[in-house]
Amino acid sequence: MVGEIYPVVSVIIPRELENGKLGFIMAQELTGLWQLLGGGLNSTDRGYLEAAKREVLEEGGFETTLTGFLGIYSFESLKGNRILSVSFVGEKYNGVLTPKDPEILEAKGIS
């Protein structure tokens, strides 16, 4: 028997790092865990694309253009929930990162 499935989005956004290499932006949650920008769908989201853009704005503090579709992944979370993640690629961003989500400690480029 399959339990409830939680739909989420994640977005990989390339970022030039201080050492000149290319990394991607990640967000540190209050728990201390680092994750890609993303999260669950809200009842106001009109789909996965809108949710992905909203999550980037909330967790990274900037607007993005989605440039590609990465894939759909299914896994069990650390809490034992079944997750269905729809992942996208966003446009490269080298500007200031200012998370608006109070559950995010910081966002930065990581290799």
Side-chain angles (χ1 to χ4, degrees):
M1 183 171 135
V2 175
E4 188 170 354
I5 297 174
Y6 296 90
V8 301
V9 293
S10 62
V11 184
I12 293 179
I13 298 184
R15 182 175 180 86
E16 207 168 296
L17 304 176
E18 291 176 6
N19 62 9
K21 293 185 178 181
L22 193 61
F24 51 92
I25 299 171
M26 295 190 73
Q28 185 181 30
E29 297 181 347
L30 292 175
T31 60
L33 292 175
W34 286 91
Q35 297 194 37
L36 293 171
L37 302 180
L41 273 68
N42 289 347
S43 60
T44 57
D45 293 327
R46 292 182 300 195
Y48 289 96
L49 295 172
E50 186 175 296
K53 291 179 180 182
R54 177 186 53 76
E55 286 290 345
V56 169
L57 182 59
E58 289 177 2
E59 296 185 358
F62 63 95
E63 292 184 1
T64 191
T65 299
L66 300 176
T67 60
F69 170 73
L70 190 60
I72 298 174
Y73 307 92
S74 178
F75 60 93
E76 188 173 306
S77 74
L78 295 174
K79 295 179 181 178
N81 297 320
R82 293 182 50 87
I83 306 295
L84 180 70
S85 179
V86 179
S87 300
F88 300 94
V89 177
E91 192 171 62
K92 183 178 172 183
Y93 182 77
N94 288 323
V96 177
L97 298 170
T98 53
K100 300 175 186 310
D101 186 333
E103 295 182 8
I104 300 299
L105 294 173
E106 71 172 315
K108 68 179 182 178
I110 296 176
S111 62

